[in-house]
Amino acid sequence: MIGVRVTVPISCFRKGYAREYLETHLLPPPATCYGFLLSLVGECDRQRHIGCRVTAGLISAPVKSVVLRKVWRVKNPRPEARENIRPDYQELLSNLELVLWLDSAEEDRSRPTLDKRVCSTLEYPEHTHRFGGLSLGESTHLVNDVSVIKEISKLKGDLEATMFLLDARGEQTLPVWVDHVQSTNTRYVTGTIQTRNLNTLSRDEIPMIIPP
C-alpha cells in the first residue's frame, strides 16, 4: 500500500443526483481517485487496473464556498439552443490536501500494477507518456502537486485523516465505477466517512475498483 499526497487549490466532487444545486462530496469518491491515478500514469484503458483498492483521506480543513456558474444541459439537440444553458449554484472546496491510499495486492500481477506505475511516474516522469492537464474533480480543477509518501511522519500535523472506508452499515454510498453513458451500470459501495489514525488503516477497509 502506498500513499499519494495531492494538493488541489479548488475542486468539486459533484454528487451524482445533484441537479438544481450542485452539491459536492467532502472527499473524491473512489472512482474519481482511480480516474485521477490512471491519468497520472497516462493509462487510457480504465479496465487495466481492475482489482486495485483506493480511497481518499483528507488531511486539511477545506473551505466550502458557493458560486453561480453557467451549466450545460441537453434539452435541445441543437448545441446553440438557449434552453441548453442555465445558471446554477455550485459548491466548491478550496485548499484541499489529500492522501490517496492505493493498494494493488489484488491486481493482475503478471504486468506492472498501478502502485508501481505511480511510483515510477513520479520518480521518472520523463519515461511516462501522458497528455492533458492533471485534475482531480472537473477537468478545470488542476492539481498543484503530487508526491508519494515514503514516511507518514513527514505529513503536516498529526497522523489522522478523514477518509471514506467500507462499512456495511454505513450511511454513505459512493461510486467505484461510473457508467458515463447510462447511469444504470454505475457501481456503488457503502461506507462511512471517519477520522482515523493513518497507521491503523487496513486493506480490507479500502473500496475495490470493480465494474458491475
Side-chain angles (χ1 to χ4, degrees):
M1 185 187 306
I2 64 170
V4 182
R5 178 179 173 274
V6 185
T7 63
V8 194
I10 296 176
S11 194
C12 173
F13 312 114
R14 189 187 301 183
K15 295 184 177 180
Y17 294 103
R19 289 295 180 268
E20 300 300 323
Y21 181 81
L22 307 180
E23 297 177 90
T24 179
H25 292 290
L26 178 63
L27 294 162
T32 303
C33 299
Y34 179 61
F36 167 79
L37 294 171
L38 292 183
S39 176
L40 174 65
V41 302
E43 179 57 62
C44 297
D45 179 5
R46 66 175 182 155
Q47 304 258 357
R48 171 69 185 273
H49 293 289
I50 285 174
C52 72
R53 293 177 180 267
V54 62
T55 194
L58 189 63
I59 54 177
S60 68
V63 177
K64 183 182 291 187
S65 56
V66 179
V67 296
L68 183 64
R69 58 167 291 185
K70 182 169 66 178
V71 178
W72 293 82
R73 291 187 176 84
V74 181
K75 299 289 186 183
N76 188 313
R78 292 184 299 110
E80 70 278 10
R82 294 181 59 85
E83 57 265 36
N84 289 341
I85 309 171
R86 58 170 294 170
D88 259 328
Y89 288 101
Q90 180 183 24
E91 293 181 343
L92 295 175
L93 298 171
S94 303
N95 300 325
L96 278 86
E97 185 175 2
L98 301 157
V99 177
L100 307 187
W101 295 105
L102 170 63
D103 187 283
S104 295
E106 294 162 271
E107 276 189 53
D108 179 0
R109 312 286 291 184
S110 64
R111 51 188 182 179
T113 54
L114 186 55
D115 58 352
K116 291 181 179 177
R117 293 182 68 186
V118 168
C119 292
S120 175
T121 295
L122 295 177
E123 188 170 2
Y124 306 105
E126 67 275 15
H127 296 165
T128 298
H129 300 282
R130 63 175 310 280
F131 52 88
L134 184 61
S135 57
L136 184 61
E138 298 182 11
S139 59
T140 55
H141 298 158
L142 300 175
V143 304
N144 241 2
D145 60 88
V146 184
S147 59
V148 171
I149 299 173
K150 296 180 179 177
E151 295 180 40
I152 293 178
S153 59
K154 289 187 177 180
L155 288 173
K156 295 179 180 178
D158 54 30
L159 299 179
E160 291 187 338
T162 301
M163 59 185 73
F164 176 76
L165 298 174
L166 294 176
D167 181 353
R169 297 184 176 182
E171 75 286 355
Q172 293 272 336
T173 55
L174 294 179
V176 294
W177 190 267
V178 177
D179 180 353
H180 296 287
V181 178
Q182 50 183 356
S183 58
T184 53
N185 287 325
T186 295
R187 182 171 180 271
Y188 295 87
V189 293
T190 302
T192 56
I193 292 178
Q194 50 187 286
T195 300
R196 287 279 296 276
N197 187 298
L198 299 180
N199 290 317
T200 65
L201 192 59
S202 165
R203 175 194 303 165
D204 295 336
E205 297 177 288
I206 302 177
M208 179 181 284
I209 302 299
I210 305 179

